[in-house]
Each structure stands twice: as structure tokens, then as C-alpha cells.
Amino acid sequence: MARILVTGGAGFLGAALCEKLLQRGDSVICLDNFWTGRPENIRSLALHPRFAFYERDVCRPLDVDVDEIFNLACPASPRHYQADPINTLKTSVLGVLNMLELARRSGAKFLQASTSEVYGNPHIHPQTENYCGNVSPVGIRACYDEGKRAAETAIYDYQRQYGLDVRVARIFNTYGPGMDIDDGRVVANFIVQALSGNDITIYGDGQQTRSFCYRDDLLEGLVRLMDAPDEVSFPVNIGNPQEFTVRQLAELVLEATGSRSKMIHMPLPSDDPLQRCPDIALARTWLNWMPRIALRDGLRRTIGYFEEQVKPAVAA
Ligand code: NAD
Ligand code: UDP
């Protein structure tokens, strides 16, 4: 049984990760300041004897004795991270430095929830981990993209300077039950719009691509990365290599919900990457991992979850 700290543990991915770790017998400390996370996400875990919750900002130094740290604290939806870009940058950079210090003091293994955004608007496709990316340092996504890139810099400097045992998961777009109704990311938006009978908002011409990974596949990848042999300290892409245009996603959501919502086009936000798809050869080789849930199946499960969320909101 390991003692594990999960920062951002009340968020979409963090809460499901806490639950997975408790199920396999670990003790979990969940740290979150509820910026984008919700108390409801961890309500069912709160009474668990091996679960503790610290309401706290990851930017504040912390002293606890743990064996492993999963550092997930950071808003991930452009809507949220762009609403307070300075806090986003601080969370990524100060947050990771604090958690690395904690890992150094307590001798803990450290895993970072990094992102495909480190590749920016990529010039190579699909993206391999040795691609250094094409990121604007001054655009509206930079607080997140550059924050996560600086976090990776700090992680590998801690590894070189202090011999820390580090893991970096470059997570590609992940969706599933547990997302907030106001999350703002494309899968949540399209499903909520379809279920409420509102227009489906396609930004730009809808020909930009993303590769959507189901939550449970992603979490299995994260846990395998943490448990992998010491030599797997290089960045590893975790995502689903099946690529869809945003328009195709809208069509799938309309088909799966049976909704008659119309698709409308809205301006494409600046710096929105045109295409994104992971090369997952490293994850296959080193983690024996690949996603199992196809988009249609994952959407069905996620729609079932959102039906329960949207009904009360529409009735109110
Ligand atoms: P989320 O917004 O649902 O969860 C983030 C959590 O971090 C929230 O509970 C929030 O309250 C908490 N948080 C934010 N700033 C904090 C701070 N300063 N101190 C303490 N807690 C703070 O997002 P998510 O989709 O669950 O993403 C989790 C992590 O995975 C993030 O680091 C994100 O960058 C990374 N990631 C996610 C995706 C994805 O598609 N879901 C893709 C790439 C990377
Ligand atoms: N998008 C869209 N309509 C929406 C929300 C997003 O067309 O209501 C597009 C967005 O412009 C981007 C893609 O969907 O091209 C994925 O956006 P998301 O915010 O989910 O994540 P990103 O990959 O951009 O960080």
C-alpha cells in the first residue's frame, strides 16, 4: 500500500484517479482549491478510511510524507485557464516547483500531468515525444502551454540536479463521465448542447482535428506510467491515436443523442491547433498500454452521465 498525493484531485481526471487508487488499496491525499474541481466529485470518497482531503492551493508549499505524487492541479479547459491566465501560469510553474520540492524531501516518485499542448500547432504529424513543438509564447494559450513546458523543464532539472524519480505523461484530449456541465471543452459542450436542444457550436470550419481518449483508458495509462521501471523517466504520450475532425465529432454526438440541434459556426479562437494526434509507440512498448474504448462507446457512456446532469439543469 502506497501513500499517494493527488493534486487537482477534485477535478474531472483527479477524482477518478483518487477512486482508482483507493480501489487498489492505496492511501490517498487529495489536494485541491476547487478552482475548476467540485466537492461533488469527491463526496463519495470523503468517508473512505484511506482518503484525506486538503483544501489548499498547490502554489503553497506543503509538508506531508508520501511515496508518490500525481501532479494534476491546473485547469485544463481553455475557457477556464484563459479566464485567469496569470493564476494558470502560477499554478503550473509554482505548483510544480512546490511538488518537486516535496518529492525531493520525502523521496517520493513524481508524475506530472503534462499535455499535448506542449506541441502547440504541430508541424509534424502524428506527434512523437521527441518533437519540440511550435508554441506561441505570447498568445492566449501560452499561459497553459508555456506553463506546462516550463513545468517539464523544472522536472528534468530536478532529475538531473537531485536524481529525482520522475514521470511525464503528455495527455491528449480526454473526456468522459465526471466532466463539469460548464467545462467548455468540445466533448462536454457538444453533448450538453445536443441534450438541451441548443445549437452545436463549431469553432471555425470544423476541419481541425483532435484525438479523443476515454477517461478510464487514460487513467490506466497514468498508473502504468507511475509503476513503470525507473528508466521510463522520459515524456510519454498518453492518448487515443484515432483522429477526428471537430465536425465529425459533432455528427457522432448528434447521432448518438438523436438530437435535432443544428450545427452553427463561430469564430475559431486564436492559436487553436489545426491538428493533433499522438504517436503512442512509446506507451505501447514501455507500458504495454493502448486505449481500449472507441469514441462511439465512450460517447455513449459520457452521454448517459450528462443526461443525469442536464435534466435537473433544464428543469430548474
Ligand atoms: P480539471 O479542470 O477538471 O481539473 C483540474 C483540478 O485542479 C481541479 O480540481 C482544480 O480545482 C484543481 N486546481 C487548479 N488549480 C489549482 C491550484 N492552484 N491549487 C490546487 N488545485 C488546483 O481538469 P482535468 O481535465 O481533470 O485535468 C487534470 C490535469 O490533466 C491538468 O493538469 C491538465 O492540464 C491535464 N490534462 C488534461 C487533459 C484532458 O483532456 N482532460 C489533457 C491534457 C492534460
Ligand atoms: N471547439 C468547438 N466548439 C466548442 C468547443 C471547442 O468547435 O464548443 C473546438 C476548439 O476550437 C478546438 C477543439 O474543438 O479546435 C478542441 O477544443 P477543446 O476546448 O476541447 O480543447 P483543446 O484541444 O483546444 O485544448
Side-chain angles (χ1 to χ4, degrees):
M1 180 185 90
R3 291 158 306 168
I4 303 182
L5 172 66
V6 178
T7 78
F12 158 53
L13 292 176
L17 176 63
C18 289
E19 188 173 0
K20 188 176 172 81
L21 297 172
L22 288 171
Q23 274 167 4
R24 75 169 194 189
D26 297 312
S27 282
V28 174
I29 297 174
C30 166
L31 178 152
D32 206 293
N33 66 354
F34 294 128
W35 179 357
T36 51
R38 292 175 298 164
E40 303 90 273
N41 289 349
I42 50 168
R43 191 153 289 146
S44 65
L45 310 178
L47 294 175
H48 197 291
R50 281 182 277 104
F51 181 81
F53 178 66
Y54 293 3
E55 185 170 348
R56 218 181 145 87
D57 194 313
V58 75
C59 296
R60 286 175 57 204
L62 178 71
D63 202 9
V64 285
D65 199 14
V66 287
D67 305 307
E68 296 178 0
I69 301 169
F70 285 87
N71 188 36
L72 273 64
C74 186
S77 166
R79 171 188 290 176
H80 295 301
Y81 71 67
Q82 288 166 13
D84 189 350
I86 293 171
N87 219 3
T88 300
L89 189 63
K90 279 186 182 165
T91 293
S92 278
V93 179
L94 299 180
V96 82
L97 288 169
N98 275 329
M99 293 305 116
L100 287 166
E101 265 307 306
L102 175 63
R104 186 170 77 83
R105 283 197 309 273
S106 55
K109 264 202 227 175
F110 180 90
L111 183 145
Q112 169 74 352
S114 189
T115 170
S116 54
E117 293 287 323
V118 300
Y119 303 123
N121 192 15
H123 288 142
I124 72 145
H125 197 72
Q127 291 81 58
T128 46
E129 290 86 346
N130 60 5
Y131 177 52
C132 290
N134 171 38
V135 178
S136 160
V138 294
I140 57 170
R141 296 175 81 100
C143 58
Y144 183 76
D145 302 6
E146 296 288 25
K148 291 283 188 176
R149 286 167 67 93
E152 289 199 12
T153 304
I155 288 162
Y156 289 106
D157 284 338
Y158 264 77
Q159 182 192 47
R160 282 183 286 264
Q161 209 163 322
Y162 298 116
L164 219 68
D165 189 351
V166 298
R167 315 290 150 127
V168 172
R170 290 191 179 150
I171 302 172
F172 284 64
N173 298 62
T174 301
Y175 69 98
M179 292 183 100
D180 193 83
I181 205 168
D182 295 318
D183 182 277
R185 283 175 278 184
V186 68
V187 174
N189 269 11
F190 285 2
I191 294 177
V192 172
Q193 289 162 347
L195 293 176
S196 324
N198 295 330
D199 294 341
I200 306 280
T201 53
I202 296 184
Y203 301 162
D205 62 7
Q207 293 309 305
Q208 70 272 35
T209 69
R210 294 294 187 272
S211 306
F212 301 101
C213 188
Y214 187 66
R215 177 198 67 189
D216 298 2
D217 280 334
L218 187 279
L219 295 178
E220 182 60 27
L222 288 191
V223 168
R224 286 189 190 206
L225 180 58
M226 183 64 107
D227 293 346
D230 291 358
E231 62 209 288
V232 191
S233 61
F234 40 81
V236 179
N237 289 339
I238 310 274
N240 191 319
Q242 257 208 307
E243 188 179 358
F244 293 84
T245 65
V246 163
R247 191 179 176 90
Q248 284 171 326
L249 175 73
E251 286 163 356
L252 283 172
V253 169
L254 285 175
E255 184 189 306
T257 51
S259 165
R260 293 210 233 144
S261 291
K262 303 199 299 303
M263 295 188 215
I264 59 162
H265 290 270
M266 294 178 68
L268 187 69
S270 65
D271 291 339
D272 199 287
L274 288 178
Q275 48 178 196
R276 196 184 284 150
C277 178
D279 180 314
I280 60 163
L282 287 183
R284 281 182 202 268
T285 305
W286 289 93
L287 312 181
N288 191 24
W289 177 88
M290 56 181 276
R292 305 273 164 207
I293 313 285
L295 183 57
R296 272 177 201 278
D297 295 336
L299 285 179
R300 206 167 10 84
R301 297 179 198 197
T302 310
I303 289 165
Y305 156 80
F306 271 118
E307 275 168 347
E308 297 306 312
Q309 310 290 309
V310 169
K311 257 189 253 158
V314 169

